[in-house]
Amino acid sequence: MKQQLEQIKSQAMAALDAAQTPAALDELRVKFLGKKGELTAVLKQMGKLSAEERPVMGQLANAVRAEIEEKLETRKAAIHAAVLEAKLVQEAIDVTIPGTPVTMGHEHPMNKVLQEIKDIFVGMGYQIVDGPEVELASYNFTRLNIEEGHPSRDRSDTFYFTDDDAVLLRTQTSPMQIRVMENAKPPICILAPGRVYRKDEADATHSPMFHQIEGLVVDEHITMGNLKGALETLMKRLYGEDAVMRFRPHHFPFTEPSCEMDMQCHKCHGTGEVDGNVCSTCHGEGWIELLGAGMVHPAVLECCGIDPEKYSGFAFGMGLERMAMRRTRINDLRLIFDNDVRFLNQF
Ligand code: DAH
């Protein structure tokens, strides 16, 4: 019997050492220690032993059971550790492997310049307003004093939606003057940037869609001096203190008097020549036209219910692309709309 027990023990130890999975361990537990297991089978023969032998064998059997149980526990822990280790190795993340690059977008240079311009005007107390791109002809033209038959209303210049030419894609941001004035009482001080549309072929300086920024200030005692002050502040903040401007008389139906503002060419400093050649930036003019402006026409104030005897105002409208080209030294308008990241990344 002693021999049998020794044999069970050595078999169990060898088998447990060889087992590699928790399931295999469980099978061995049943095989050696279970109710129908080998150890139990031996113990059932205890009755045949003598009274002296029985406690000795009993002790031995218990010792064998304890050893097998202990071995089971150590193997269980070892297998568990091995499984965990294998899993850790398999699922390890190498944080030093370079990641897949995510290509980020880039802020458009024109938006950057727009933001700068907005900041400058907000600093002077202007409120930024937004309005529709699909506009009524009455706002885009009629109420701005642009009568029927005016060349800018021509179908060859304007995108109309309806046969009666009553609805169109706005050709300028000036209708925002009407939209603001018919809904607000002076003092009014707004800036309205947005897209405008004209039937133009795209070339270095034209695009059928472009951006304008409209400004409007209406209050008592507003003069041309206020207009000049606002625009000079803009130019110096945007282009530097040494920027030189000039105002030229001009005509717009919705302002009286009207003017255009030019900026001295930064390339030839107003001379029109670079190294004896005609300056390519201003085409020899010495000046670059930047915007239209003027004092709001009394008829425009009146049609919005504002008393021109009491109030006066100034307005201006500038092309954002032109401002951005000057600011960023881009020489072809199409680059602004192509959205080639190699170009955009330079800003
Ligand atoms: N809307 C005019 C244009 O597109 C620009 C303009 C001129 C706007 C004079 C104004 C202004 O507000 O007073 O050519």
Side-chain angles (χ1 to χ4, degrees):
M1 190 163 200
K2 187 177 176 207
Q3 225 174 7
Q4 267 181 313
L5 284 171
E6 296 286 357
Q7 206 179 352
I8 289 173
K9 183 180 144 185
S10 63
Q11 274 177 2
M13 293 298 160
L16 286 170
D17 273 330
Q20 295 302 332
T21 64
L25 281 185
D26 212 45
E27 247 171 58
L28 293 173
R29 190 182 52 76
V30 174
K31 180 172 189 268
F32 292 104
L33 305 178
K35 274 191 193 137
K36 291 174 186 163
E38 295 185 17
L39 196 62
T40 315
V42 175
L43 290 174
K44 277 180 185 161
Q45 298 163 25
M46 292 277 269
K48 295 176 192 162
L49 296 177
S50 68
E52 297 89 64
E53 273 181 317
R54 219 175 287 157
V56 180
M57 281 306 138
Q59 227 171 24
L60 184 62
N62 279 341
V64 168
R65 168 178 286 273
E67 274 181 75
I68 294 175
E69 272 171 356
E70 199 189 311
K71 184 77 177 173
L72 261 168
E73 284 310 309
T74 45
R75 287 299 296 145
K76 200 165 145 188
I79 289 172
H80 182 76
V83 167
L84 187 68
E85 180 63 28
K87 209 167 165 186
L88 284 176
V89 169
Q90 197 185 17
E91 292 175 11
I93 294 169
D94 183 351
V95 293
T96 65
I97 291 174
T100 320
V102 178
T103 41
M104 294 291 280
H106 192 279
E107 191 178 17
H108 197 285
M110 210 177 56
N111 272 333
K112 274 191 179 170
V113 175
L114 173 60
Q115 195 53 51
E116 281 181 54
I117 294 173
K118 280 196 211 171
D119 285 348
I120 293 167
F121 279 103
V122 166
M124 291 193 275
Y126 286 62
Q127 196 186 336
I128 311 291
V129 297
D130 204 6
E133 290 169 28
V134 175
E135 185 55 283
L136 298 173
S138 64
Y139 285 84
N140 195 83
F141 295 128
T142 318
R143 296 176 72 180
L144 283 167
N145 228 11
I146 305 172
E147 72 246 11
E148 299 278 342
H150 190 278
S152 69
R153 299 184 73 140
D154 204 282
R155 284 191 163 184
S156 61
D157 291 331
T158 302
F159 293 103
Y160 286 101
F161 286 104
T162 52
D163 288 339
D164 62 0
D165 292 356
V167 185
L168 46 75
L169 280 174
R170 67 179 177 190
T171 62
Q172 49 185 355
T173 45
S174 302
M176 285 307 291
Q177 293 186 31
I178 308 296
R179 288 190 173 272
V180 168
M181 282 194 286
E182 69 176 6
N183 286 310
K185 299 230 163 314
I188 290 169
C189 189
I190 60 101
L191 194 76
R195 294 188 192 95
V196 299
Y197 301 84
R198 289 183 197 173
K199 282 190 180 170
D200 277 327
E201 294 281 337
D203 65 22
T205 52
H206 292 87
S207 157
M209 187 281 293
F210 57 103
H211 297 76
Q212 283 190 340
I213 304 175
E214 195 79 13
L216 174 71
V217 173
V218 183
D219 201 355
E220 289 180 47
H221 315 301
I222 296 292
T223 70
M224 204 88 177
N226 298 120
L227 169 66
K228 285 186 76 173
L231 293 177
E232 278 195 25
T233 303
L234 169 71
M235 293 302 144
K236 293 196 187 264
R237 296 254 170 91
L238 201 57
Y239 299 129
E241 281 301 315
D242 52 352
V244 181
M245 277 79 59
R246 75 171 182 195
F247 291 82
R248 259 185 305 107
H250 199 75
H251 170 75
F252 294 104
F254 40 94
T255 42
E256 182 56 37
S258 306
C259 63
E260 278 190 334
M261 190 184 80
D262 302 334
M263 183 172 174
Q264 195 175 77
C265 179
H266 53 280
K267 193 84 169 279
C268 64
H269 301 286
T271 62
E273 272 183 30
V274 177
D275 302 331
N277 298 314
V278 174
C279 174
S280 61
T281 303
C282 62
H283 307 292
E285 297 289 326
W287 296 88
I288 299 166
E289 182 195 315
L290 279 185
L291 54 86
M295 299 305 291
V296 181
H297 197 292
V300 174
L301 291 174
E302 210 155 11
C303 92
C304 295
I306 293 174
D307 181 3
E309 296 294 327
K310 186 171 179 200
Y311 295 105
S312 55
F314 68 75
F316 56 85
M318 62 187 113
L320 173 58
E321 282 79 3
R322 187 165 284 200
M323 306 290 286
M325 283 167 80
R326 167 74 187 77
R327 178 82 175 76
T328 54
R329 293 164 195 261
I330 297 167
N331 54 15
D332 192 321
L333 184 66
R334 286 164 294 194
L335 288 168
I336 290 185
F337 298 116
D338 282 348
N339 285 334
D340 184 328
V341 282
R342 292 168 302 180
F343 166 75
L344 297 177
N345 276 331
Q346 296 171 41
F347 299 96

